Amino acid sequence: MKVIEISTSKRIEMIDITSHIRRVVKESNVRDGIVVVYVPHTTAGITINENADPSVAKDIENTLSRLVPAGKGYLHMEGNADSHIKSTIVGSSINVIIENGELILGTWQGIFFCEFDGPRRRKVYVKIIEG
Ligand code: ZN
């Protein structure tokens, strides 16, 4: 397993980590298999979506914030209940197929680390399964 370290700079922020995952896959020399990208945090997530137009990530951030606003009305007393809920909506892992040593992503797809309670130092676990 490889660990990628990320420093986030905002409370809510989607960071394109596709190039990091590509590098880990290249360095593994695995030609065919699956890469599992996993976020070991309860107030962050991982998702695949468009990375061509940055407005898409911004729209996702804004919509999640509108659907799950920060603030009062939650039982969790730490003050970041909305961050936990956003994390569960987005999810904590993705899988991508590796073929001929390349990530099989759609033309417009990228892999995004989703920060919901930053700024923080974060980790992303990357596991490659050959097959
Ligand atoms: Zn909390």
Side-chain angles (χ1 to χ4, degrees), residues 4 17 21 34-39 46 92-96 103 111-113 124-127:
I4 296 170
I17 60 166
I21 307 304
I34 288 173
V35 58
V36 179
V37 186
Y38 182 82
V39 170
I46 190 112
S92 57
S93 74
I94 54 131
N95 302 315
V96 180
L103 286 181
I111 301 167
F112 289 89
F113 177 87
V124 176
Y125 297 160
V126 184
K127 177 76 180 178

Side-chain angles (χ1 to χ4, degrees), residues 4-9 40-41 43-44 113 115 117-124:
I4 296 170
E5 306 229 4
I6 296 171
S7 287
T8 63
S9 59
H41 301 291
T43 55
F113 177 87
E115 175 62 81
D117 194 23
R120 289 185 193 230
R121 295 276 296 164
R122 299 294 204 173
K123 286 184 167 73
V124 176

